[in-house]
Amino acid sequence: MLACKRSLVASALRVLRSGQVAVSGQRWMSTQTDGEARIANILKEKFPLAASLKVVDISGGCGAMYEIHIESSEFKGKRTIQQHQLVNQALKEEIQGMHGLRIFTDVPKH
């Protein structure tokens, strides 16, 4: 985690020198990280009926903590804890290397 913080500080200094702007205080304007893309692909495969999916590395890009928002009809009839268990099961391998994970699930409203 210390390496992650050092990397984040070094990145912030580079970004400040380049004149870029922070987005929501979480991360500098950039494209999706490799970790975000990998997790999103796993969830798209596991939940093909997902109406929306958003994966954000909230650790500053080092992959220690993610926030996931997923809306899928596959969650219909399931309690929130069951929905979260499905997401956790889909990400079983990836979770082992994480510090934390925030999960927000919902059923599409038609």
Side-chain angles (χ1 to χ4, degrees):
M1 194 61 146
L2 184 57
C4 179
K5 287 181 183 179
R6 280 191 206 135
S7 172
L8 184 57
V9 169
S11 295
L13 289 173
R14 281 193 302 272
V15 170
L16 287 173
R17 288 184 197 127
S18 70
Q20 290 180 338
V21 179
V23 177
S24 303
Q26 292 291 326
R27 188 172 72 210
W28 310 101
M29 276 189 185
S30 66
T31 58
Q32 192 176 40
T33 67
D34 290 342
E36 290 168 342
R38 185 178 64 254
I39 290 170
N41 287 335
I42 291 168
L43 293 173
K44 286 176 189 173
E45 189 175 305
K46 179 66 178 174
F47 303 101
L49 302 178
S52 69
L53 172 63
K54 180 179 176 185
V55 178
V56 179
D57 182 340
I58 57 175
S59 63
C62 69
M65 189 163 182
Y66 291 90
E67 183 170 293
I68 296 170
H69 294 261
I70 183 167
E71 187 176 295
S72 179
S73 58
E74 291 146 310
F75 297 141
K76 188 173 185 176
K78 293 179 175 50
R79 296 186 321 259
T80 302
I81 189 74
Q82 293 169 317
Q83 296 171 13
H84 290 203
Q85 287 170 340
L86 290 172
V87 173
N88 279 322
Q89 184 60 36
L91 298 174
K92 186 177 179 178
E93 297 297 318
E94 283 67 28
I95 287 174
Q96 292 177 8
M98 291 181 197
H99 174 68
L101 181 63
R102 293 182 189 165
I103 301 172
F104 300 90
T105 56
D106 205 357
V107 176
K109 289 141 181 80
H110 294 282

